[in-house]
Amino acid sequence: MGAAALLMLTGGATIAHGAADGTDGTPAPDGGAHAAHSTGTGIGDASGSGKASGASGTSGIGEAGPVGGASRSGGFWMRADGVFSPPGSFVPSDALTYDTALVPAAARIEITQYADRTSHRVGTRLRGLVPNRAYGMHVHTSPCAADPASAGAHYQHRVSATADPVNEVWLDFRTDRNGVGEAEARHAWGFRDGGARSVVVHDAQGGAGKRVACFTVPFSS
């Protein structure tokens, strides 16, 4: 939770990390009570700090350059953007679609993460999906690969045989008429070091469903 640090810039995603608590314009929570799961939040303001924490630029498939900011006190934030493409595409991507009817190639995803001393939130915003459709999404334990199963199981705060949004990070959402969907999950706990590595989009909401897309994200602990 210290100084800003740029972790990586790949051909399929741009990722920025930094410390933040809202004191200098970087993303900050709204101060509300912790909720296990909520939808309909806007997460597109992570770049509003106006301060860069590393090199900027563009990737091979159109992501914007990384942005970030550092505050004078505790907390950190991260934002990662990706453009979906099928496995084995000419331009590699960290965002993979396994079902282009539900997650078309060139659809976009943004993942944000914010944590301070008392709360932890993960948000998502997707564009270019099927309009007016429900999707499921969870944080998973392993990176994405050509095999959808490679992303592993749901990340769980405490290992359990059951799947629920209190012990896991659920980001279920429904797209609007323009194919845009958003969600946010909040918890009082954060990720174990290296334990959360991706988000998986499912064809149905709830604890299961077919894996239709995946985005590798190096979440902070």
Side-chain angles (χ1 to χ4, degrees), residues 176-192:
D176 63 16
R177 63 182 182 178
N178 298 313
V180 176
E182 299 180 349
E184 185 178 87
R186 299 190 181 198
H187 300 85
W189 47 264
F191 296 131
R192 294 180 294 278

Side-chain angles (χ1 to χ4, degrees), residues 64-129:
V67 294
S71 70
R72 294 181 294 272
S73 59
F76 70 83
W77 67 274
M78 178 278 295
R79 189 185 73 192
D81 303 278
V83 178
F84 288 105
S85 64
S89 296
F90 178 73
V91 178
S93 176
D94 284 337
L96 300 177
T97 174
Y98 308 118
D99 186 336
T100 55
L102 294 181
V103 180
R108 303 184 71 98
I109 183 171
E110 175 184 284
I111 296 292
T112 58
Q113 181 187 13
Y114 180 92
D116 58 23
R117 296 179 182 87
T118 60
S119 66
H120 180 252
R121 78 186 189 193
V122 176
T124 188
R125 188 172 193 269
L126 299 98
R127 292 180 288 154
L129 302 185

